[in-house]
Amino acid sequence: LVDGATARGGYGQYRQYGYGYELSAVVVHQGSMRGGHYTAYVRGGASGWFHISDTRVVAATEREVLDSQAFLLFYDAAHTVAASNGDAGADEDADTCTNAVAAGR
């Protein structure tokens, strides 16, 4: 999980809402500028990581993902308030954060 302040280039506006970012997919290009092949590592929830190449899907380790030559990274926003401090108002915080993200704040 990447802290929102780090993922947003040092701006802490999302930190107050308890948002962070979780790596969800990595696109890898193998080849040259003239041609090649794209594959992807995709997080499958509790099932872990998978490496996808055309019609082939195989389980992958987190180490494989981290060691890959990433071309493009995808992150999901992850609400962390409830997990970090057991805040009873986490649902309200999540709505506030969702609204802030939608408004571009």
Side-chain angles (χ1 to χ4, degrees):
L1 188 64
V2 177
D3 178 25
T6 303
R8 295 286 298 163
Y11 299 106
Q13 68 251 32
Y14 295 120
R15 177 182 281 172
Q16 65 180 320
Y17 300 116
Y19 253 95
Y21 296 90
E22 196 167 50
L23 185 64
S24 60
V26 176
V27 176
V28 177
H29 180 259
Q30 299 165 326
S32 69
M33 295 292 282
R34 294 181 156 269
H37 182 70
Y38 289 94
T39 63
Y41 289 97
V42 178
R43 183 188 304 272
S47 301
W49 287 93
F50 295 92
H51 185 229
I52 302 168
S53 177
D54 295 330
T55 60
R56 185 171 180 233
V57 178
V58 296
T61 65
E62 186 173 275
R63 177 55 36 206
E64 288 176 82
V65 176
L66 296 175
D67 288 345
S68 68
Q69 296 293 312
F71 175 76
L72 184 62
L73 304 174
F74 289 86
Y75 290 90
D76 288 326
H79 188 262
T80 60
V81 170
S84 65
N85 67 11
D87 184 3
D91 290 335
E92 183 178 319
D93 291 344
D95 290 341
T96 302
C97 189
T98 300
N99 293 338
V101 170
R105 293 181 282 160

